[in-house]
Amino acid sequence: MPKQVDHEARRIQIAEALMRLASRGGLEAVSLRDVAAEAGVSMGAVQHYFKSKDEMLTFAMNHVNNRAEQRIVGQLTSMPTRPEARVVMRTLMLEMLALSDDSRMEYLTHVAFFLRALASPEMAELYRQQWPQLEAWVAGELRFAQESGELPADRNPEREAEALLLIPDGLSVGLLLGQRTSEEAIRSIDYHLDRLFGTYTVD
């Protein structure tokens, strides 16, 4: 009998090979042949599942986002009660930090996608669609926190959502360049969350 192939698993296998290559040396010099060798499949298999590098990178980006979302949801749903907004924001921001091997690879995949999007209107449009969706979700969580009294009423949920999502991005650059340690990056996130939720105190 012919061997059954899990097509989605094969697409993920190829996309993760692209992610590893992009995280090691950027995307521009990576060929489909390189991806095939890294994934341990034939060139024909890569071309069967993806018609171009851009299509492959778009799939990889969606895969990265899905993996991160699953980790965040898994952490939050494992808590016995609905977590406070500060806990939700901290969980999200720590997942966005380039702390582990996986998160570093995912962050560098985002960087590769961004650089590619500068020259590709189609990919730029996808980037413009995804980021506002995340901002809107964070702003919604912050509005709920205001209604429940957890977040001070004078905070602007939309502007605070923008700021919170930019913080892990900037800290990740410092982590990757060795300018700060993981502990320093986490302390910085806690400081900003304390400021936002009005719980910061001077030691």
Side-chain angles (χ1 to χ4, degrees), residues 101-121:
D101 289 342
D102 281 346
S103 60
R104 281 192 290 272
M105 181 174 67
E106 291 170 358
Y107 179 80
L108 290 170
T109 301
H110 275 280
V111 172
F113 184 92
F114 170 74
L115 293 174
R116 191 76 169 182
L118 293 177
S120 169

Side-chain angles (χ1 to χ4, degrees), residues 12 14 21 32-33 37 52 56 82 95-96 107 117 119 122-123 138 174-176 185 194 198 200 202:
I12 290 173
I14 294 169
L21 291 170
L32 295 183
R33 190 175 302 279
S52 67
M56 196 187 315
R82 189 186 195 282
E95 278 296 335
M96 293 176 68
Y107 179 80
E122 294 80 10
M123 296 184 74
V138 171
L175 284 169
L176 292 171
D194 288 344
Y200 176 72
V202 179

Side-chain angles (χ1 to χ4, degrees):
M1 293 181 62
K3 183 178 179 180
Q4 295 294 316
V5 177
D6 185 333
H7 296 291
E8 184 66 11
R10 183 58 56 84
R11 285 168 66 86
I12 290 173
Q13 176 187 351
I14 294 169
E16 289 185 345
L18 175 68
M19 289 163 57
R20 292 192 296 273
L21 291 170
S23 68
R24 292 202 294 262
L27 184 68
E28 293 309 312
V30 175
S31 67
L32 295 183
R33 190 175 302 279
D34 295 328
V35 176
E38 178 72 19
V41 300
S42 67
M43 268 283 290
V46 173
Q47 292 171 325
H48 172 73
Y49 288 107
F50 300 102
K51 305 307 180 196
S52 67
K53 191 190 298 184
D54 282 356
E55 182 182 341
M56 196 187 315
L57 183 57
T58 298
F59 181 87
M61 272 298 304
N62 288 328
H63 177 55
V64 164
N65 292 337
N66 289 337
R67 288 203 320 186
E69 181 179 348
Q70 288 170 4
R71 289 197 301 267
I72 293 167
V73 171
Q75 291 183 57
L76 296 177
T77 56
S78 67
M79 298 177 184
T81 59
R82 189 186 195 282
E84 295 181 341
R86 189 190 189 285
V87 174
V88 174
M89 294 301 107
R90 189 176 193 271
T91 301
L92 171 64
M93 294 171 78
L94 291 182
E95 278 296 335
M96 293 176 68
L97 271 183
L99 292 174
S100 66
D101 289 342
D102 281 346
S103 60
R104 281 192 290 272
M105 181 174 67
E106 291 170 358
Y107 179 80
L108 290 170
T109 301
H110 275 280
V111 172
F113 184 92
F114 170 74
L115 293 174
R116 191 76 169 182
L118 293 177
S120 169
E122 294 80 10
M123 296 184 74
E125 179 59 27
L126 179 62
Y127 192 89
R128 286 193 294 268
Q129 290 173 2
Q130 290 183 341
W131 192 256
Q133 291 173 0
L134 181 56
E135 282 187 354
W137 180 81
V138 171
E141 290 292 310
L142 295 179
R143 280 193 295 273
F144 181 84
Q146 279 185 324
E147 293 168 2
S148 65
E150 185 184 355
L151 183 69
D154 63 348
R155 304 294 194 259
N156 183 311
E158 285 72 26
R159 300 292 79 78
E160 296 294 353
E162 292 173 358
L164 287 181
L165 292 175
L166 290 173
I167 290 168
D169 190 55
L171 291 173
S172 290
V173 172
L175 284 169
L176 292 171
L177 294 176
Q179 294 174 332
R180 68 183 76 251
T181 65
S182 298
E183 292 76 15
E184 289 170 339
I186 294 171
R187 280 201 302 270
S188 182
I189 283 178
D190 285 333
Y191 169 83
H192 286 289
L193 289 173
D194 288 344
R195 175 201 59 79
L196 173 62
F197 287 95
T199 55
Y200 176 72
T201 57
V202 179
D203 294 333

